[in-house]
Amino acid sequence: MTQAQKNQIAQDFVDAHKNNNLDEWQVAGINKEQKLDSVYNNLVAGVYGNVEIDGNNGTIEIDKFDSRSGNPIIFDFEIEDIYA
């Protein structure tokens, strides 16, 4: 998995939220790519909620109160294979 793919997953995750301002998700003083990398790593680590992992696939639920649509969202994403 490329860094660009991880960044896209992170951006899609942030964009699914009511608060989709990346600057408010991460600390100041780092660039956009570093922020997206941090979001991706936090997503995989379960910082944003319970992540169910099946092989190289992860799933997390975005609560209806946090989602941009106002409905719960099941967010599926690929997890980097660290052994590849």
Side-chain angles (χ1 to χ4, degrees):
M1 169 182 292
T2 67
Q3 188 61 46
Q5 290 170 313
K6 292 194 296 186
N7 288 353
Q8 187 61 55
I9 291 168
Q11 188 66 64
D12 292 345
F13 181 70
V14 170
D15 287 344
H17 284 78
K18 193 181 310 182
N19 175 6
N20 62 354
N21 183 343
L22 183 60
D23 292 331
E24 294 180 16
W25 280 64
Q26 296 297 311
V27 297
I30 59 176
N31 67 36
K32 181 179 180 179
E33 287 73 26
Q34 291 169 320
K35 289 177 184 182
L36 290 171
D37 189 48
S38 181
V39 168
Y40 177 84
N41 290 332
N42 287 342
L43 176 61
V44 172
V47 170
Y48 304 121
N50 183 45
V51 176
E52 294 182 21
I53 297 173
D54 181 16
N56 287 2
N57 298 304
T59 301
I60 188 170
E61 182 177 353
I62 301 171
D63 187 274
K64 69 179 183 178
F65 301 108
D66 293 326
S67 75
R68 197 163 69 173
S69 69
N71 297 311
I73 297 171
I74 302 299
F75 185 82
D76 296 313
F77 60 98
E78 185 179 350
I79 297 174
E80 180 178 29
D81 184 354
I82 60 172
Y83 301 107

